[in-house]
Amino acid sequence: MKRFLTWVLCLGDRIYNFCILHYRGVSAKGKVTIHGKIQIFGHGTIRIGTGVTINSCLSSNPIGGDTQTILSVKEGASLTIGENVGISNAAIVCHDSVSIGAGTLIGGSVKIYDTDFHSLDYRVRGDYEREEPVKKPVVIGENVFIGAHSIILKGVTIGDRSIIGAGSVVTKNIGPDEVWAGNPARRIRQGGDGSENSVGV
């Protein structure tokens, strides 16, 4: 009975998610599980692999921060989310290209931006017809773990199996099997096997 009541209570979210995924033309292969209501903006290309789980409400991951997952993909841009990726109440803004490898876990309130949003030139900043914000692809490898409240900025590549400590701001490329943390993020050590989990992930 409890499972049935839970299913009924979540029926509205399921209908909403089904509609918004189809309206935005999202290509989803296999089973994709969404807890809560996902928010999708823009008319870019979004591809989601099978086995992906997205938390998009406070009750699904009450660790603080945003209560919904937001995917904002500008027309002409592309977001690719690999198989068995987990995303919790995160925001991904894509004006160029964002790629997330299979098995990667993205913690609560993580932000991933492939754009500066505004020009660095004060003379045109805010003039949407003239300013051209810098945008560069973000590439996140397979089995990466990004701790809660971290920010991944434009042009960053994160290698397979690396770990980003909670609250980090990543501005540089990170190789495979590395642990980074801090603002700005710095390399803590080589090896992402979790044998010395002391970076607050």
Side-chain angles (χ1 to χ4, degrees), residues 79-136:
L79 168 62
T80 302
I81 300 173
E83 296 181 358
N84 302 313
V85 168
I87 301 174
S88 287
N89 304 338
I92 302 173
V93 178
C94 178
H95 289 189
D96 187 321
S97 172
V98 175
S99 175
I100 301 169
T104 286
L105 298 179
I106 298 174
S109 199
V110 165
K111 317 296 184 194
I112 300 173
Y113 304 142
D114 73 350
T115 175
D116 282 337
F117 295 99
H118 293 286
S119 173
L120 301 183
D121 184 347
Y122 74 92
R123 292 168 295 184
V124 297
R125 188 181 306 136
D127 184 341
Y128 298 108
E129 294 183 358
R130 296 173 59 203
E131 71 172 347
E132 296 183 4
V134 177
K135 54 184 180 180
K136 296 180 181 179

